[in-house]
Amino acid sequence: MEKGTGMRGRLVGMQDQNGLTVGFDLDMTLIDSRPGIRATYLALAAETGVRIDADLAVSRLGPPLDHELAHWFPAERVPAVAERFRELYTAHAVAPTRAMPGAREAIDAVHRRGGRVIVVTAKYGPNARLHLDHLDLPADHLTGWLWAEGKAEALRAQRAAVYVGDHVGDVRGAALAGALSVTVPTGPIGADELRAAGADVVLDGGLPDFPAWLDGWLAARRDGPPAVAGGPGSGPGAEPDPAPGPAH
């Protein structure tokens, strides 16, 4: 599918009638949750007596918790252990977690332009809300427990024109939703792999590059042809994927 055409172009065009909505992933996009998640895994290991390599676990954040727990526990134990992890999380993970550089500024950039910010994450919703409140990240809407293509339903329901994430799963979810996929190489996936996965834009400098990119993208949409998903206006540090995105 050519960028800016078909479903993606139509949804991006909805911005003109319905106002700008930008979606963000949470872990390793808006927040660096590695210290808190590591502490929670260590607490879980101490309680269960099961060895968990917490450093390895936090090096591959992105997929749902159950995927990671399956590396350490028998399948029949995973649901109960996941529930216990979420209980331990509130005590161990919130305080050590920090906002990613540029996170608040990225959110403020959308709000200053009259837009809405939504957070769509694989994390358990109540725990995601704890992070947003603790770090004073003012999202207008939050949806949890959605991963990869599963995020598309929430993005479509909220009419998100842009989805910002750090994982190839975020790229797939944005593409299925018809949203522009803007990525930051601040998680486990590097910039080259994000481009290869079909990201429309890679902000090599992370979220600090987002406000300037957003200004450029909005200006290009205002002054140029309608519904061009990742065209001119990439902004400093932004590189559109040079090849057309995969067909869906």
Side-chain angles (χ1 to χ4, degrees):
M1 179 185 295
E2 182 180 352
K3 288 182 175 65
T5 63
M7 174 64 175
R8 191 174 305 195
R10 288 196 298 274
L11 187 54
V12 170
M14 288 179 185
Q15 172 198 318
D16 298 327
Q17 289 77 37
N18 299 287
L20 173 67
T21 296
V22 176
F24 289 87
D25 176 49
L26 187 62
D27 290 287
M28 304 312 299
T29 298
L30 287 176
I31 66 173
D32 184 353
S33 51
R34 289 173 297 183
I37 292 175
R38 182 181 184 276
T40 307
Y41 275 123
L42 292 176
L44 183 68
E47 185 175 290
T48 61
V50 173
R51 179 189 172 275
I52 299 172
D53 186 335
D55 293 317
L56 176 60
V58 299
S59 75
R60 51 192 184 197
L61 296 179
L65 172 63
D66 288 11
H67 291 205
E68 182 61 40
L69 291 176
H71 292 291
W72 312 106
F73 293 89
E76 64 272 13
R77 291 193 63 189
V78 166
V81 172
E83 183 62 29
R84 182 57 182 153
F85 179 96
R86 286 187 282 270
E87 293 169 352
L88 292 169
Y89 193 96
T90 61
H92 294 276
V94 177
T97 294
R98 297 290 177 261
M100 294 295 284
R104 179 58 190 258
E105 292 81 0
I107 290 173
D108 289 347
V110 177
H111 285 153
R112 280 198 307 272
R113 291 151 184 82
R116 296 175 64 246
V117 169
I118 66 171
V119 173
V120 183
T121 173
K123 189 180 292 297
Y124 178 54
N127 286 349
R129 171 56 62 188
L130 289 175
H131 285 301
L132 295 176
D133 291 346
H134 179 72
L135 296 172
D136 192 24
L137 297 176
D140 301 294
H141 179 85
L142 167 66
T143 302
W145 268 7
L146 294 177
W147 158 242
E149 290 86 351
K151 295 184 175 185
E153 181 179 356
L155 294 172
R156 284 194 298 260
Q158 295 296 319
R159 296 181 177 269
V162 176
Y163 185 59
V164 185
D166 67 279
H167 200 280
V168 294
D170 299 323
V171 176
R172 298 199 306 268
L176 186 60
L180 185 73
S181 171
V182 176
T183 57
V184 288
T186 49
I189 310 299
D192 290 342
E193 188 173 349
L194 291 168
R195 291 186 183 98
D200 295 300
V201 176
V202 177
L203 300 175
D204 286 318
L207 288 180
D209 289 348
F210 179 80
W213 173 83
L214 181 64
D215 280 343
W217 180 68
L218 290 173
R221 284 186 44 73
R222 210 168 38 240
D223 302 334
V228 176
S234 301
E239 295 188 18
D241 188 319
H248 295 284

